[in-house]
Amino acid sequence: LEGVTTGSTFVLDQPRCVFEDYGNAVIWLVVTLDKDAPSFNNSAEPGTPETAFQRFPDPVRAYMTLNATLGSYPCPKPAGDITVLRVGSETSCARDETRPTCNGPLPGPGPYRVKFLALEGSVPVAETAWSMPIMLRTAKPPSSISTTGSGHNAGMIAITTILSILFAILLAGLVAMLVFWGSDSCGSSTLSKPESVSVRRYNTHHVYDQPAARL
Amino acid sequence: MAKSDDCVHILQGLLVFGNVVIGMCGIALTAECIYVVSNPHGPYPLLKATENSDIYAAAWIGIFVGLALFALSILGIIAVIRASRTLLMVYIILMLITFAFEMASCITAATHQDSLTPEHFLKQMLERYQKSEPGNNSDNEVTKTWDELMRQNHCCGVKGPSDWQEYTSAFRDTHSDADYPWPRTCCVLDAKGLPVNLDGCKLGVPGYYNSNGCYDAISGPVNAHAWGVAWFGFAILCWTFCVLLGTMFYWSGIEY
């Protein structure tokens, strides 16, 4: 799951097949900062200002939320189902002090610890152990992305070099042509090409007329 | 005498053939550059917003160079057949000017590819996508282009949806992380444009959100265009170089 931890939420597995013997109990999720986990007292009552989400983390050290009965976590877990709880998904009640058990977005990156607590009335009857510390994601500012050029690729260097050389050769050729044309038009053409004298063989016509008169 | 006449005729024939090829390649270059410039599905608004639209400058130059090559090739054929020194000189000079322009276009297209790194697009996307008070119109364009890109290619972000988690962004300023770990356009949408399973999308359950990044979808067409303009232009220039050398040689052999 890509959204296992985000900047203000995290995902937990549901406590399936854990609280089997406590059909009458209400199962609560206790969320606290890592450093405050040892000081949590199981006799804390949910829904009171001492465990209200809106005052977490100061002065409230641990808040309780996501209450459910055992029916919400049937056992055994059907294979292939995604059975998770998303802590921090309720944004509408995050500032509503009349809803102290709100499952609101977490205020900082943590680390947090959670445990499930089963209460019958207000008597704690069962609990899970504290989880490992859960660290949320911290976002960096976009200005930390470096966009400096990564150097020129070989193709560009090849094109530039070869084309420059070709162009230079052509320019040199053009200059040579202009110089050649200039010196040519100064008038040495008549001297550089002497008339070729050709001698054509001349056959005197009377040699060939003889056979016709032999008759 | 006869032998050098033959040589001259062969050279003339080769030059005419060379010019015919240049003319055809000029038309092809024009057509290709018109396609690059007018492609409606291209990522042009993104590139325009990053002030990185050199590829389009190169393509515009390519259009005019192609037409010039075609016209000059006709001039060249006439000049070679009539063996006129003046015409050939004009032809060579104009061809050199066109050569210089096409050289600029090729080098621009080839250099342009280097600047299209993922980090470049990432920074632009984070800073401008869904900016709440859009200072100028191009921010709206950026948002619209990204939305369309993500919808059409079923992708999210530049490298993936975690781009929105790893960095703060203009989007994050107006949309809470709990409700919008990534924009809604990253979710798999139904026919009406609503997410099929919003909770699944927020959790990142495979099948309800787009998990791959859009960088491939952007860089693919842009690179194809850039290579097309750059390398085809390079090939034409190499051929033109040979024809021009032959023309210069022919010119110097014409009797005054």
Side-chain angles (χ1 to χ4, degrees):
Chain A
L1 288 185
E2 185 138 7
V4 166
T5 55
T6 70
S8 57
T9 68
F10 59 91
V11 165
L12 295 174
D13 273 326
Q14 288 178 1
R16 300 262 176 139
C17 308
V18 173
F19 294 103
E20 282 314 294
D21 302 327
Y22 303 97
N24 291 333
V26 177
I27 304 167
W28 290 87
L29 178 72
V30 181
V31 181
T32 178
L33 285 169
D34 184 24
K35 57 182 171 64
D36 297 325
S39 59
F40 178 71
N41 192 339
N42 273 354
S43 58
E45 290 196 7
T48 62
E50 285 76 34
T51 55
F53 164 77
Q54 285 78 12
R55 301 204 190 169
F56 177 78
D58 188 53
V60 171
R61 294 278 167 221
Y63 69 96
M64 300 169 78
T65 182
L66 276 180
N67 51 319
T69 56
L70 194 57
S72 311
Y73 305 134
C75 185
K77 180 181 109 142
D81 268 11
I82 301 174
T83 55
V84 293
L85 294 173
R86 191 162 181 246
V87 179
S89 60
E90 281 188 86
T91 46
S92 51
C93 56
R95 293 194 204 287
D96 186 359
E97 303 238 331
T98 61
R99 298 232 7 234
T101 58
C102 180
N103 181 18
L106 295 156
Y112 298 99
R113 280 185 175 235
V114 297
K115 72 173 179 181
F116 287 97
L117 184 61
L119 297 177
E120 275 182 5
S122 42
V123 175
V125 294
E127 63 176 352
T128 62
W130 284 109
S131 68
M132 302 301 296
I134 301 169
M135 194 74 193
L136 298 183
R137 299 211 215 186
T138 340
K140 299 183 285 247
S143 47
S144 63
I145 307 172
S146 70
T147 53
T148 50
S150 58
H152 302 295
N153 65 348
M156 188 223 101
I157 296 178
I159 285 186
T160 313
T161 324
I162 295 178
L163 286 183
S164 310
I165 294 175
L166 295 186
F167 192 58
I169 296 176
L170 285 178
L171 276 182
L174 179 67
V175 168
M177 274 170 61
L178 287 173
V179 167
F180 192 46
W181 200 13
S183 69
D184 223 34
S185 65
C186 281
S188 59
S189 55
T190 44
L191 291 176
S192 59
K193 280 198 294 287
E195 301 278 329
S196 51
V197 180
S198 54
V199 180
R200 293 181 57 202
R201 291 191 59 175
Y202 180 72
N203 292 315
T204 49
H205 58 274
H206 62 270
V207 174
Y208 296 104
D209 278 343
Q210 296 296 340
R214 268 261 180 99
L215 282 174
Chain B
M1 266 309 159
K3 222 177 184 180
S4 77
D5 258 352
D6 273 346
C7 278
V8 168
H9 282 313
I10 291 175
L11 188 56
Q12 269 185 332
L14 283 177
L15 287 179
V16 168
F17 170 69
N19 275 303
V20 165
V21 171
I22 289 180
M24 295 196 301
C25 287
I27 299 286
L29 182 67
T30 306
E32 187 198 6
C33 290
I34 289 180
Y35 170 71
V36 166
V37 165
S38 67
N39 192 7
H41 296 295
Y44 183 44
L46 266 182
L47 294 179
K48 195 162 71 128
T50 41
E51 284 93 42
N52 214 331
S53 47
D54 290 343
I55 179 67
Y56 294 95
W60 275 107
I61 295 178
I63 292 178
F64 293 113
V65 163
L67 291 175
L69 282 177
F70 178 68
L72 283 179
S73 70
I74 295 180
L75 171 67
I77 292 174
I78 297 174
V80 163
I81 291 179
R82 285 174 49 174
S84 147
R85 275 199 158 192
T86 334
L87 270 184
L88 279 176
M89 179 60 88
V90 166
Y91 165 76
I92 289 176
I93 292 179
L94 288 179
M95 265 298 213
L96 277 180
I97 296 175
T98 314
F99 191 98
F101 272 104
E102 179 60 19
M103 204 168 95
S105 160
C106 279
I107 294 178
T108 310
T111 318
H112 177 254
Q113 286 182 274
D114 290 336
S115 54
L116 290 186
T117 52
E119 283 75 34
H120 201 101
F121 286 112
L122 183 60
K123 198 160 180 179
Q124 178 210 43
M125 179 185 81
L126 292 171
E127 285 173 358
R128 297 166 81 165
Y129 178 75
Q130 297 232 9
K131 203 159 161 185
S132 49
E133 314 111 26
N136 45 2
N137 224 357
S138 69
D139 287 341
N140 277 337
E141 286 289 323
V142 169
T143 305
K144 272 196 289 191
T145 310
W146 270 108
D147 279 335
E148 204 186 300
L149 200 62
M150 292 199 276
R151 266 186 225 119
Q152 278 185 347
N153 299 83
H154 305 293
C155 57
C156 183
V158 172
K159 293 188 250 196
S162 32
D163 288 341
W164 302 103
Q165 288 294 315
E166 278 175 51
Y167 298 97
T168 59
S169 52
F171 173 75
R172 183 60 62 227
D173 289 339
T174 45
H175 297 79
S176 74
D177 171 79
D179 277 333
Y180 296 88
W182 31 77
R184 288 282 182 264
T185 17
C186 289
C187 301
V188 173
L189 302 171
D190 62 14
K192 290 200 209 93
L194 299 169
V196 166
N197 185 335
L198 188 56
D199 287 321
C201 178
K202 287 197 227 176
L203 278 176
V205 178
Y208 295 121
Y209 80 120
N210 303 321
S211 55
N212 44 314
C214 295
Y215 181 64
D216 290 331
I218 301 171
S219 70
V222 173
N223 273 346
H225 291 165
W227 283 123
V229 173
W231 287 102
F232 187 49
F234 179 71
I236 292 179
L237 287 182
C238 288
W239 180 265
T240 309
F241 170 75
C242 298
V243 171
L244 279 180
L245 270 188
T247 314
M248 288 182 185
F249 182 65
Y250 175 70
W251 183 91
S252 62
I254 294 179
E255 287 166 6
Y256 207 70

